[in-house]
Amino acid sequence: MANAKTDNESLSYEQARDELAEVVKRLEAGGLTLEESLRLWERGERLAAVCEEWLEGARARLTAAISASDEGGENAPAPF
């Protein structure tokens, strides 16, 4: 079986977000065994972490781009 970290690293933000939405839907629907629920919960936690990593990376890229344009004497960027 593949390493979960390797699996997560290959997911795009959209893939992780969509899979996370499906996990939440299945958990909310109920009817799962405790083991199935725990497995899905753990997968959801990993997917949420992947989404957060993507968002942090995007935030850093935006900040860098704004800083680079600001060095040219342009107006200061609005905070997030």
Side-chain angles (χ1 to χ4, degrees):
M1 183 172 201
N3 182 324
K5 185 169 175 63
T6 303
D7 291 344
N8 290 344
E9 289 174 355
S10 65
L11 291 175
S12 70
Y13 170 78
E14 291 79 8
Q15 290 169 323
R17 181 201 59 211
D18 292 347
E19 188 178 342
L20 178 57
E22 185 61 33
V23 165
V24 170
K25 186 163 65 170
R26 288 184 62 197
L27 286 169
E28 287 178 340
L32 302 169
T33 66
L34 178 59
E35 185 61 33
E36 290 169 327
S37 295
L38 288 172
R39 182 183 54 77
L40 280 173
W41 178 269
E42 290 167 346
R43 180 64 180 159
E45 288 290 328
R46 289 190 302 272
L47 291 165
V50 170
C51 290
E52 184 61 30
E53 288 176 26
W54 274 105
L55 292 172
E56 287 175 11
R59 188 175 294 117
R61 289 175 61 187
L62 286 170
T63 300
I66 290 169
S67 294
S69 69
D70 195 33
E71 289 175 6
E74 297 179 20
N75 294 332
F80 289 109

